[in-house]
Amino acid sequence: MSAIISKTETEEKIISYNPATGEKIGAVAQTSAAQVVNAVENSQRAFKSWRETSFKERAKFVLKAREAILNEMDEIARLISDESGKPVTEAFSAEIAPVLDLMRYFARKTPAILKPEKINIGQLGLLGRSSKIIYQPLGAVGIISPWNFPFSIPLGEVVMALMAGNTVVLKPSELTPLVGVKIGEIFRKVDLPENVLQVITGDGRTGAALVEAGVNKIMFTGSVATGKKIAGNAAKTLTPVVLELGGKDPMIVFADADLEAASSAAIWGAFTNSGQACSSVERLYVEESIAERFTAMIVAKTRKLQQNLGSIETTDVGAMVSENQLKIVEDHVADFKKSGAEILTGGKRNGNFQGTFFEPTVIAGAGNEMRAMREETFGPTLPIATFKTESEAVELANDTDFGLTASIWTKNISRGKRVAEKILAGTVMVNEVLYTHGIGQTPWGGFKQSGYGRTHGKLGLMELVAPQHIHVNRVTVLPNAWWFGYSQNAIDTFRGFARHFSSGSLFQTAKLAPQMLKRIKELRKK
Ligand code: TXE
């Protein structure tokens, strides 16, 4: 059963609010450092038996949890929307549907992905030896997750960690703790063995305590600043970390692109989840010859977006998660204005609401020298800049500290692929934008300050296991030529190893046979 710690020694509580209305929707405990240590110890104990379970048994729990989610999908979507401010439609499209697909995929495919692998050691003189890699679970994995996709990010990682044979301690964001608690409840409902998954609520202090509590890996998604702190603290105990940090993702639109599709993609890429996605379009580079027409299409489409409470089905853009987040957007919009860019639509808080709504904002005349084009905004802004040549577009797109995703629009697919390979980002899409986190089969992670390591896909699963090399020698009757009993004869043999054996050629290695025999005889005598 997954334990949800509900009381702290200090009785300190975290209140969860609906950011669209300001209503209080619940309260959870601020888990203390001592409780975190206790949770990790319990996790390590549970690991001893969980690691012995078969893939089939693990999959059974994951698939049952999947059923449980399907059964209460509407309530879960509503909770996600209420706690984060996002439209309930996006709770389905960007969180529930993709994570259910991920659950099915890893429940079925983990055994194949983690199948022991034979290595061809290819050394003719090593006959009788064989090598293989097996994948061992790591132990207790700490997952520290953000508020922007409070269901799909942590749940996807939980499922992958469990399938690989690890136990998990999950610390959801303090802004969306109830969704995190819900994940714990789902697994409790399907009778996951005790302490295999524990959800500990709390703020950054609880997260920091988890990093230092003796977990075997930390999977972190959040800001660059916190990522750096976590990497520093984890280094003290050599705890490995995967860091999925922010982005300042570029979209490049060439003149030959399908402009109808590209303009719809641009506004969705910039404004979905109120722009609070690490792979949001935060910089749009348009080829100069079509810039005016394309910008007009974007402005017209943006003005048609419905901004409203997330609970209303026709809402396109909901509230932002917090006042703090909204203030960053206000600051960046002010920076754009001050730097000479032009606000074409939006640009301010939406005064029709009490909550944290910022109008979808389109900005023309942006340039990479502006601060707001360099720092992550994480809000509903779409700054547009222009370029003249393909190489200029690549240069502008790469002129950033980040490198999570990028998007290229052209009807010329070979050009799209050529440009894609020049962009320094973990994922580059041609004629697509933002969404591949929703394909659990594909790797997710960044270059540069966007972090390191991967979540999702085969590479993500590999982060959750320790590859172990097993080497077997079936022929022990002959001594190894390189063992002690060094002599001139040994040196001659090793010289032969260097000249003939390491060439990989059967013919060359055969030449070494008389010298090898001499050496073996010598060793036998000793
Ligand atoms: O993130 P934090 P915040 C970016 C985005 C946003 C900014 C700040 O630019 O404006 O980050 O968001 C836990 N040790 N992204 O303040 O602080 C914290 O409790 C261990 C990008 O919400 O990074 C929460 O669970 N853990 C991003 C988680 O870290 C600590 C998603 C994230 O919080 C900790 C979210 C510490 N010292 C924000 N301090 C993305 N990559 O998608 C905090 N935490």
Side-chain angles (χ1 to χ4, degrees):
M1 203 184 288
S2 54
I4 294 160
I5 294 166
S6 58
K7 267 197 167 284
T8 65
E9 293 140 355
T10 55
E11 294 292 328
E12 215 185 316
K13 291 268 184 236
I14 289 177
I15 313 287
S16 179
Y17 295 96
N18 179 333
T21 60
E23 271 171 302
K24 175 179 163 180
I25 52 177
V28 295
Q30 165 68 37
T31 307
S32 71
Q35 287 171 315
V36 174
V37 169
N38 194 28
V40 172
E41 283 168 1
N42 289 338
S43 194
Q44 295 290 12
R45 265 191 292 277
F47 173 64
K48 290 192 179 124
S49 43
W50 182 250
R51 69 172 301 159
E52 300 302 332
T53 55
S54 65
F55 287 124
K56 215 167 158 191
E57 284 169 86
R58 297 172 200 162
K60 196 182 74 193
F61 290 110
V62 169
L63 292 174
K64 274 197 198 164
R66 193 178 173 280
E67 279 305 309
I69 295 168
L70 274 170
N71 289 339
E72 49 171 319
M73 180 158 73
D74 291 289
E75 298 92 282
I76 295 172
R78 185 61 201 255
L79 176 64
I80 295 171
S81 167
D82 283 352
E83 206 175 32
S84 68
K86 74 176 68 190
V88 74
T89 43
E90 290 185 359
F92 283 110
S93 66
E95 301 226 48
I96 295 175
V99 84
L100 289 178
D101 185 56
L102 179 151
M103 292 172 90
R104 181 194 50 76
Y105 177 75
F106 283 101
R108 299 221 172 112
K109 297 290 183 202
T110 301
I113 302 174
L114 298 185
K115 212 172 86 186
E117 234 175 278
K118 266 191 92 165
I119 304 173
N120 177 3
I121 49 179
Q123 290 167 350
L124 301 163
L126 294 179
L127 288 177
R129 275 90 170 173
S130 64
S131 273
K132 68 171 180 179
I133 300 177
I134 63 166
Y135 298 100
Q136 298 275 15
L138 299 171
V141 171
I143 297 176
I144 301 176
S145 57
W147 41 263
N148 56 340
F149 293 91
F151 193 63
S152 60
I153 291 178
L155 180 52
E157 292 176 5
V158 164
V159 165
M160 292 172 69
L162 295 182
M163 281 306 303
N166 303 292
T167 50
V168 175
V169 180
L170 164 64
K171 209 268 328 146
S173 167
E174 59 273 38
L175 294 178
T176 50
L178 300 181
V179 177
V181 166
K182 188 76 194 172
I183 292 172
E185 274 172 24
I186 289 160
F187 281 95
R188 203 166 36 173
K189 231 179 235 174
V190 301
D191 294 326
L192 187 73
E194 194 169 6
N195 295 328
V196 170
L197 168 65
Q198 297 169 85
V199 180
I200 52 168
T201 51
D203 59 19
R205 290 169 292 170
T206 308
L210 181 56
V211 175
E212 295 184 8
V215 288
N216 300 88
K217 183 123 189 182
I218 286 286
M219 304 289 290
F220 172 73
T221 307
S223 63
V224 175
T226 302
K228 285 181 180 169
K229 278 190 212 159
I230 288 177
N233 287 340
K236 292 181 203 155
T237 47
L238 284 184
T239 304
V241 281
V242 164
L243 300 177
E244 206 279 85
L245 310 177
K248 190 77 188 170
D249 293 358
M251 175 170 173
I252 297 173
V253 181
F254 287 105
D256 72 340
D258 176 340
L259 298 190
E260 198 47 56
S263 53
S264 295
I267 64 165
W268 183 75
F271 305 138
T272 186
N273 211 26
S274 272
Q276 301 164 119
C278 44
S279 52
S280 287
V281 174
E282 294 223 357
R283 296 176 293 142
L284 176 57
Y285 299 105
V286 192
E287 193 161 344
E288 205 175 63
S289 59
I290 54 148
E292 210 178 308
R293 185 153 63 101
F294 190 65
T295 303
M297 290 169 83
I298 283 184
V299 171
K301 288 184 181 185
T302 301
R303 289 196 175 130
K304 284 194 192 134
L305 295 175
Q306 300 288 316
Q307 186 162 46
N308 212 330
L309 299 178
S311 53
I312 295 171
E313 283 168 11
T314 51
T315 295
D316 295 307
V317 182
M320 300 195 64
V321 78
S322 68
E323 196 59 40
N324 278 350
Q325 237 4 89
L326 190 141
K327 285 204 173 105
I328 299 173
V329 183
E330 284 179 332
D331 170 49
H332 282 197
V333 168
D335 182 71
F336 276 122
K337 282 191 200 158
K338 195 180 77 190
S339 317
E342 189 188 352
I343 311 298
L344 301 179
T345 186
K348 58 182 190 324
R349 192 180 188 121
N350 188 330
N352 298 334
F353 301 96
Q354 290 278 318
T356 46
F357 289 79
F358 197 90
E359 291 180 356
T361 299
V362 181
I363 301 153
N368 280 10
E369 70 288 355
M370 299 173 186
R371 179 171 62 84
M373 280 290 266
R374 309 201 72 82
E375 294 174 3
E376 185 171 38
T377 305
F378 230 60
T381 56
L382 180 55
I384 307 176
T386 60
F387 67 87
K388 285 198 183 76
T389 62
E390 183 178 306
S391 58
E392 190 194 358
V394 170
E395 208 173 293
L396 288 168
N398 283 338
D399 175 25
T400 172
D401 292 337
F402 294 98
L404 189 58
T405 82
S407 159
I408 295 158
W409 289 76
T410 171
K411 284 188 188 139
N412 179 344
I413 300 299
S414 42
R415 173 196 234 183
K417 288 192 204 158
R418 178 178 71 229
V419 174
E421 289 183 19
K422 291 185 183 151
I423 303 289
L424 302 172
T427 296
V428 187
M429 292 160 261
V430 178
N431 297 330
E432 267 305 345
V433 74
L434 185 142
Y435 85 117
T436 65
H437 190 269
I439 314 175
Q441 294 82 348
T442 61
W444 187 260
F447 289 11
K448 301 194 257 183
Q449 299 279 301
S450 290
Y452 48 73
R454 292 293 178 267
T455 63
H456 288 187
K458 179 181 173 181
L459 295 178
L461 198 61
M462 289 299 167
E463 298 281 0
L464 293 159
V465 289
Q468 184 179 43
H469 171 204
I470 309 278
H471 183 75
V472 176
N473 177 13
R474 289 181 177 77
V475 190
T476 52
V477 283
L478 298 177
N480 281 333
W482 55 87
W483 284 352
F484 283 134
Y486 295 157
S487 61
Q488 185 54 47
N489 186 20
I491 291 181
D492 292 344
T493 309
F494 302 155
R495 201 177 273 124
F497 279 179
R499 188 157 292 134
H500 303 291
F501 174 57
S502 70
S503 71
S505 140
L506 183 58
F507 176 68
Q508 287 288 332
T509 306
K511 281 190 185 168
L512 199 62
Q515 179 61 43
M516 279 288 279
L517 277 175
K518 240 168 104 185
R519 170 70 175 147
I520 286 167
K521 267 192 206 152
E522 176 187 64
L523 281 169
R524 277 254 165 94
K525 269 192 217 139
K526 288 198 174 165

